[in-house]
């Protein structure tokens, strides 16, 4: 029996050590140097190569190394009977909430303009956008969305939130389902996407949606690249429907050097770092789920395949 770690371009040494510190009896394999494919029962994956997971005849469960699971649900090599899970930790929630709060402050205080001005020795005062004029609206009130809503509320923002089901969060104006989407958008001017990527949410961030925001709007996109219709974002920025955008996730990652987003002053780009699971927090969850998978128990943060997240 072995546990496989797969994450191209990531150094998995620390994670392997943290797993072994939890339980030194576990046989940990790190892709691509796999000694025995037959022995792999559990895999932990991030950006795993196509057709890799079909090579392990005794695979019982696969965990995402992060919170998102679309890369696992979309993989035809993971058969229906293989169980799926994800890793959500307090630090991950906290990082996401901090990222969004910081993105809102950066926008309100025009920090990006001042960084550019400094490079050109330019002194140009701008009016800070008052907190009272900001209505952040969070799409998706799951693990990341709820933590983000709570931090924004604590920081004095009037926050709207939208999910599939109605949520009771103190201080939050909650909206639910397609029927209440327009009302949610009409009262929001800083839109934060924290939805999972599913058939229903693919391409949800389009021009029609941006036009329904309280104008002018601002977009913070931390969900998945495929939520956003990229050309609609450019059109919305060019026509003043949106004032700007802060993007952490992209259809193609790394974002290609020739991509038009790089040349836009009103688009802030970060390289998918809004929240990253620390190895020492991921390891106990991985070890627990490895053991649960082997004994047929329900996994921590097991994915509901039917629901798609
Ligand atoms: P969860 O699965 O915990 O929550 C998903 C939320 O979205 C739920 O509130 C759910 O509603 C809502 N939702 C799902 N489908 C719909 C729909 N069709 N209409 C309305 N609401 C819907 O997800 P997480 O909070 O863990 O993650 C959110 C996103 O953030 C994911 O895309 C993930 O990949 C991404 N992420 C990005 C990171 C980064 O570094 N950029 C880091 C971590 C996560 P309900 O509660 O009613 O089920
Ligand atoms: C995640 C992510 O899903 O980093 O955890 O996007």
């Amino acid at each position: 029996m072995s546990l496989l770690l797969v994450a191209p371009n990531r150094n998995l040494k620390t994670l392997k050590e943290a797993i072994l510190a939890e339980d030194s009896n576990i046989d940990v394999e790190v892709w691509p140097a796999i000694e025995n494919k037959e022995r792999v029962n559990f895999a932990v994956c991030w950006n795993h190569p196509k057709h890799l997971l079909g090579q392990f005849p005794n695979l019982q469960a696969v965990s995402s190394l992060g919170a998102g699971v679309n890369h696992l649900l979309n993989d035809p090599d993971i058969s229906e009977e293989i169980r799926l899970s994800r890793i959500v930790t307090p630090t991950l929630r906290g990082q996401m909430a901090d990222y969004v709060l910081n993105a809102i402050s950066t926008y309100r205080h025009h920090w990006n303009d001042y960084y550019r001005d400094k490079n050109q020795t330019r002194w140009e005062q701008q009016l800070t956008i008052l907190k009272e004029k900001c209505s952040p609206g969070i799409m998706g009130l799951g693990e990341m969305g709820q933590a983000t809503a709570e931090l924004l509320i604590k920081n004095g923002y009037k926050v709207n939130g939208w999910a599939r089901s109605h949520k009771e969060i103190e201080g939050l104006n909650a909206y639910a389902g397609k029927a209440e989407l327009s009302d949610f958008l009409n009262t929001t001017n800083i839109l934060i996407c924290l939805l999972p990527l599913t058939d229903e949410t693919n391409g949800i961030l389009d021009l029609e949606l941006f036009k329904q925001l309280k104008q002018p709007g601002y977009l913070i996109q931390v969900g998945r690249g495929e939520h956003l219709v990229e050309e609609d974002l450019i059109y919305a920025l060019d026509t003043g429907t949106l004032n700007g955008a802060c993007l952490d996730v992209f259809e193609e990652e790394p974002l290609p050097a020739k991509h038009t987003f790089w040349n836009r002053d009103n688009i802030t780009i970060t390289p998918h770092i809004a929240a990253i699971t620390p190895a020492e927090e991921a390891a106990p969850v991985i070890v627990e789920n490895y053991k649960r998978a082997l004994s047929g128990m329900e996994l921590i943060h097991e994915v509901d395949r039917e629901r798609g997240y």
Side-chain angles (χ1 to χ4, degrees):
M1 288 180 292
S2 73
L3 186 162
L4 171 68
L5 303 178
V6 188
N9 306 322
R10 267 210 206 173
N11 183 353
L12 294 170
K13 190 168 165 275
T14 318
L15 181 59
K16 180 175 175 176
E17 284 167 4
I19 290 171
L20 292 174
E22 288 291 316
D23 187 339
S24 57
N25 292 318
I26 299 179
D27 184 359
V28 183
E29 299 248 40
V30 179
W31 179 86
I34 305 165
E35 280 184 13
N36 187 341
K37 289 184 178 168
E38 307 252 316
R39 294 190 70 235
V40 174
N41 302 109
F42 190 92
V44 181
C45 299
W46 190 253
N47 286 334
H48 63 280
K50 268 188 185 160
H51 307 306
L52 177 75
L53 294 175
Q55 299 175 24
F56 308 104
N58 297 310
L59 190 62
Q60 293 175 17
V62 183
S63 169
S64 168
L65 185 50
V69 287
N70 51 294
H71 58 302
L72 305 181
L73 287 162
N74 296 340
D75 184 341
D77 282 13
I78 304 180
S79 58
E80 288 287 319
E81 42 314 329
I82 293 178
R83 294 153 70 201
L84 305 177
S85 62
R86 63 201 192 107
I87 300 174
V88 181
T89 64
T91 309
L92 196 74
R93 292 187 201 97
Q95 284 180 60
M96 181 57 82
D98 283 346
Y99 178 99
V100 172
L101 178 65
N102 185 52
I104 294 177
S105 300
T106 301
Y107 166 57
R108 286 183 45 224
H109 293 275
H110 312 287
W111 280 113
N112 286 335
D113 291 342
Y114 297 135
Y115 292 137
R116 274 187 289 271
D117 288 352
K118 179 172 179 267
N119 284 334
Q120 292 161 30
T121 51
R122 187 166 51 212
W123 178 279
E124 194 178 309
Q125 294 177 331
Q126 296 190 56
L127 289 179
T128 295
I129 303 169
L130 298 177
K131 209 177 249 188
E132 295 68 31
K133 300 245 161 151
C134 295
S135 313
I138 305 171
M139 301 179 87
L141 294 169
E143 298 286 347
M144 303 298 133
Q146 289 202 23
T148 303
E150 283 160 10
L151 186 68
L152 297 183
I153 291 166
K154 218 190 264 176
N155 277 270
Y157 287 97
K158 217 168 146 281
V159 183
N160 303 315
W162 180 72
R164 270 206 329 182
S165 55
H166 190 83
K167 297 281 181 289
E168 291 287 344
I169 298 173
E170 205 181 327
L172 180 86
N173 304 314
Y175 299 84
K178 279 190 188 142
E180 294 182 10
L181 179 58
S182 288
D183 290 344
F184 161 79
L185 295 168
N186 294 165
T187 49
T188 292
N189 60 8
I190 299 182
L191 186 68
I192 299 138
C193 178
L194 275 168
L195 289 165
L197 183 65
T198 64
D199 290 346
E200 274 187 39
T201 65
N202 197 316
I204 192 167
L205 301 177
D206 65 3
L207 189 61
E208 202 189 313
L209 180 138
F210 297 142
K211 280 185 177 163
Q212 293 180 67
L213 291 171
K214 229 165 52 162
Q215 302 287 308
Y218 187 80
L219 173 68
I220 300 174
Q221 159 58 328
V222 268
R224 280 291 177 268
E226 292 85 345
H227 287 136
L228 176 66
V229 180
E230 294 190 343
E231 57 274 23
D232 284 12
L233 171 63
I234 295 297
Y235 188 84
L237 291 170
D238 286 349
T239 51
T241 300
L242 289 180
N243 249 349
C246 172
L247 311 177
D248 184 56
V249 290
F250 303 89
E251 232 173 273
E252 188 179 345
E253 294 180 7
L255 186 66
K258 286 195 178 137
H259 201 289
T260 177
F261 286 171
W262 290 111
N263 304 319
R264 298 267 164 169
D265 283 348
N266 51 5
I267 297 182
T268 299
I269 291 173
T270 53
H272 200 145
I273 46 69
I276 296 175
T277 322
E280 60 278 11
E281 273 192 18
V285 184
I286 292 171
V287 169
E288 176 65 23
N289 268 348
Y290 173 64
K291 292 178 179 172
R292 287 183 182 215
L294 292 185
S295 53
M297 287 164 68
E298 189 183 332
L299 306 178
I300 303 170
H301 290 301
E302 183 151 353
V303 177
D304 181 341
R305 282 177 177 272
E306 199 65 11
R307 206 174 58 159
Y309 59 97

